[in-house]
Amino acid sequence: MTHTAPDAATSDLEADLDDLRRIGTDLTGGVPDGDPATAWQRRRDAYKLVGPLNRRKFTVIVVGTGLAGAGCAAALGELGYNVSSFTFHDAPRRAHSVAAQGGINAARARKVDNDSVHRFVVDTVKGGDFRGREADAFRLAEESVRVIDHLNAIGAPFAREYGGSLATRSFGGVQVSRTYYTRGQTGQQLQVAASQALLRQVAAGTVTLHTRQEMLDLIVADGRAQGIVVRDLVTGEITAQTAHAVVLATGGYGTVYFQSTLARNCNATASWRAHRRGALLASPSFIQFHPTALPVSAEWQSKTTLMSESLRNDGRIWVPKKEHDDRPPGDIPDAERDYYLERRYPAYGNLTPRDVASRAAVTEINGGHGVGPLHNSVYLDFADALARLGKSTISERYGNLFSMYRDATGEDPYEVPMRIAPAAHFTMGGLWSDFDQMSSIPGLFVGGEVGWGYHGANRLGANSLLSACVDGWFTLPYSVPNYLAPLLGDEPLPLDHEAVQHAVTSVRDRISRLIAVDGTTGPDRFHRRLGEILYRGCGVMRSADSLTTAIAEIRELRDEFWSDVRVVGSGAQFNQELERAGRVADFMELAELMCLDALDRDESCGAHFRVEHQTAQGEALRDDEHWTFASAWETTPTGEQIRHREPLEFSAVPLQTRNYK
């Protein structure tokens, strides 16, 4: 790959970066030497074990009850450990995993389309633009077979072929059919099954479920994670709970953009508090913008709505060839339409990976070809599929999605094309962890979207439900006992321990500080303004100028927040304004680090598209010589940012330029 020689602007940027961050040390991911295809089996074989009679002597805290958290808590409970499960929801099934629609991938290769574990790994590593851990992709592929069989066994109602076998469909970035689904409700149905498995262990007495409890800090003592501090969202009571190990399965941080496809209550506080206690944060700027979200329709809108990527199996994406063409779509003849994904990427067409599809859509919209009242979207048209397959077949595949679109927009997608646009969605970055899913703080494990390793710089569709299930059911139940085994005989930290009291006091002081500001502006106003800064400066496309401007604007906004935020009421009661204020305060700090990471990574890769680094055809231009590593950020107690790195090696899938043409 060709790169220009350093110039004065590059030198100035490097000087600016030196003022913003320091360079730290190299990290090791703990992957066993040798063939990455067998690394997971060899690592499992080397794990220490805890005997059945000793398991009840250990306590494990699991924060989050989505697919990763529910699976981990249920599996550890089934094995005989004492598990405390925490969620800020009123029931575990409300976790955000319910929002995933299109499906879950698996390399079961039941269709005769030449799929395999190897092809799964190639697609995942290539889809992530070679910025994820190759051995993790092999584990994802290997365990995917067990995941589908397990979920099917515990009651997930997967779609079936006429003969009874499980049905599959295709998703972006692949040329085979490996996505298992339950119409457009896959996440919801898998979450119901996982929640029931969790509640079975609650009934058995191995899991204690704590609802309406929000984690606000991590307790670290003797260099390892030994508990959490939570706030009861109903009473406001601040309490601590200690354990031998802590698992965070609290999801991603896409809501930092305010308008995102995530639920409004999704937040980064649990992971950010852990980060401020010493857990490294990997590649925070790797943000996926989903290409098939509903476009923003008004300035007062509080979020965007996801439409499943599975729709791209049968829907064709297009814009008018003529700029600023406001004719109804039905009045635009086929010859005057640009099916731009099919034109640019004929081998994959409308099933190009999400980063490619989102970037192409933004290019069309910014080029004057956007459609709709605000000219901020493109068409997803099912006319050809309806004519070829009939309404009943399309309804069987996507009926609930079509109904949801009609309810949200007032338009019938059976009659007119859907209008879609990219929106902040999934975070490939997250707390750095080694091959055992343990963070840089011993005893603190991560599962699901709160982690980082599988997806690199771009997640393939339907790999998110899979990675959450693999972590929860088939990784953490192996790796957590390996950590616990040497601790046999140790008791959990007493609640009067200095580290516990310090963490509780820190939480109370932070709450008091938020309330004491007594300003004039609610936290949601600050959150909305933060999102606007990020969409401009660290959105689908970024540049050195946009990122440096964003960092300055975020700092200014953060100062204004701490001098003018209004939190009514007190901390000793149900207080949603206080909840939001605390989350927005954490978002402010996280947003600056996201922009710094994007500024520091002087290349384009996957969803991280720096406009300074693109090919003549407008594709992402990687710099493998200098940037084949995962960035892992440390924030010191004084706020200094230090970038560590984990070098990445690719032996099974050699480094190559992504090509979906």
Side-chain angles (χ1 to χ4, degrees), residues 320-355:
K321 290 182 178 179
K322 178 183 175 183
E323 293 183 15
H324 311 298
D325 190 339
D326 288 331
R327 288 179 292 172
D331 293 347
I332 302 176
D334 202 66
E336 297 179 31
R337 300 178 179 185
D338 182 8
Y339 296 92
Y340 58 88
L341 289 178
E342 299 173 28
R343 171 173 55 82
R344 297 180 191 175
Y345 311 102
Y348 285 76
N350 296 296
L351 288 175
T352 55
R354 291 178 178 179
D355 61 318

Side-chain angles (χ1 to χ4, degrees), residues 156-222:
F158 287 116
R160 295 179 180 271
E161 304 288 359
Y162 179 76
S165 60
L166 300 186
T168 57
R169 56 191 176 198
S170 298
F171 256 61
V174 305
Q175 293 179 304
V176 295
S177 180
R178 67 164 68 107
T179 305
Y180 296 78
Y181 64 97
T182 63
R183 297 186 74 185
Q185 307 171 0
T186 311
Q188 179 179 345
Q189 297 301 329
L190 300 192
Q191 180 64 36
V192 168
S195 297
Q196 291 301 312
L198 173 63
L199 293 176
R200 178 174 177 268
Q201 293 307 309
V202 172
T206 62
V207 176
T208 302
L209 180 63
H210 304 266
T211 59
R212 304 185 182 93
Q213 305 282 322
E214 181 170 23
M215 175 184 160
L216 296 182
D217 210 345
L218 179 73
I219 298 169
V220 180
D222 301 323

Side-chain angles (χ1 to χ4, degrees), residues 404-425:
M404 185 171 71
Y405 183 88
R406 184 179 60 247
D407 292 343
T409 66
E411 300 173 358
D412 185 353
Y414 290 107
E415 302 295 332
V416 297
M418 292 182 178
R419 288 180 293 109
I420 57 171
H425 176 59

Side-chain angles (χ1 to χ4, degrees), residues 119-160:
R119 290 187 185 278
F120 181 105
V121 173
V122 170
D123 290 340
T124 299
V125 172
K126 176 184 171 185
D129 217 356
F130 298 89
R131 292 299 178 259
R133 195 185 282 141
E134 188 179 55
D136 283 24
F138 271 104
R139 178 171 64 203
L140 195 68
E142 178 184 341
E143 297 292 4
S144 68
V145 179
R146 286 210 291 170
V147 163
I148 298 302
D149 292 341
H150 175 72
L151 292 172
N152 186 40
I154 65 173
F158 287 116
R160 295 179 180 271

